[in-house]
Amino acid sequence: MPTPRGRIDKRQAILDAAITVFARRGYDQACVQEIADEARVAKPTVYNHLTDKATLFREAMTAAARTAIGRHLATLDRLTDPGDDLQPVLREVALDLLRCHCDERARAVRRLLSAEAARFPDLLSLVHGPSGHRVTEALADRLARLALAGRLRPADPSVAAEQLLALLTGPADLRWPLVAPPDDDLAGIADAAVDTFLRAYGVGTEKPGPHGAG
């Protein structure tokens, strides 16, 4: 028998509330009652869906990571048919990937992952396991198709995908490890990343934009 829609929605509300409270309080200081209040459900309802605080934490972290992966994959769909001018589309995709990486929920997951890795040694594999590689694999697939179409230089698409993602996330994590970056600065990072990437992998008309000129 299918799970009732209302039960699924209530579980999701609990998981969303849990990430919010865990990010605000940390694992030790967060309490189930506060999570129930945040989700606007009764405390026993939380336990009916998630058996204990540790299970709630694992499930909330996994769900938040899965949501982030879904946003990244939706963004990458735009590279399936980028049109005649690849550079501006790649720049838009890069900026949206960076915004996803730097939003409040994503930063909270990374902070909690770092803080609680010793207590939950399985957490890294839960958050960054096989599903966590889907973004790199999806980007590699899009880049491989662009190379086959003559839009990019032939190269190992997995390496190219890893390098583009590193060009985006590396500067953001170094400059703003604890706070949300200004959007204008994210745009600058995306421009520089795409310029550098196209200098390495661009062909023909797929050249860096004016940001990288000089």
Side-chain angles (χ1 to χ4, degrees):
M1 179 179 295
T3 304
R5 179 76 251 174
R7 181 173 175 82
I8 295 173
D9 292 343
K10 193 167 290 186
R11 178 186 174 89
Q12 187 60 53
I14 293 168
L15 294 175
D16 289 342
I19 280 292
T20 299
V21 174
F22 284 128
R24 184 164 63 218
R25 300 287 192 188
Y27 180 81
D28 283 328
Q29 297 301 316
C31 68
V32 174
Q33 182 61 62
E34 185 175 1
I35 292 169
D37 293 342
E38 184 78 23
R40 299 184 179 182
V41 300
K43 184 176 179 180
T45 301
V46 177
Y47 287 115
N48 286 340
H49 286 266
L50 291 309
T51 56
D52 53 38
K53 183 178 173 181
T55 300
L56 176 56
F57 183 70
R58 286 191 178 92
E59 290 291 331
M61 290 286 283
T62 303
R66 188 181 304 118
T67 298
I69 289 168
R71 290 178 59 194
H72 280 81
L73 294 177
T75 295
L76 291 176
D77 280 346
R78 277 178 278 168
L79 289 177
T80 302
D81 184 14
D84 294 333
D85 194 350
L86 175 61
Q87 191 274 340
V89 177
L90 188 58
R91 189 261 182 195
E92 291 173 4
V93 168
L95 180 55
D96 280 353
L97 289 174
L98 197 50
R99 285 170 174 156
C100 291
H101 177 76
C102 293
D103 74 8
E104 183 177 354
R105 181 61 56 89
R107 289 184 293 107
V109 168
R110 291 196 295 275
R111 287 197 306 271
L112 288 165
L113 184 63
S114 177
E116 302 300 334
R119 190 198 309 263
F120 297 94
D122 61 331
L123 199 57
L124 185 62
S125 62
L126 286 173
V127 174
H128 293 298
S131 63
H133 297 296
R134 288 176 61 199
V135 174
T136 305
E137 292 171 353
L139 178 55
D141 175 76
R142 304 302 187 276
L143 297 179
R145 292 173 184 272
L146 290 169
L148 286 173
R151 308 292 298 276
L152 293 174
R153 178 175 64 81
D156 184 328
S158 295
V159 172
E162 290 171 352
Q163 290 176 342
L164 179 54
L165 292 174
L167 287 168
L168 292 169
T169 60
D173 291 343
L174 285 171
R175 296 181 199 177
W176 301 279
L178 300 176
V179 298
D183 200 66
D184 286 348
D185 290 336
L186 292 184
I189 291 174
D191 285 343
V194 171
D195 286 341
T196 300
F197 182 80
L198 289 178
R199 287 180 187 279
Y201 294 101
V203 296
T205 59
E206 313 299 354
K207 297 177 181 178
H211 182 277

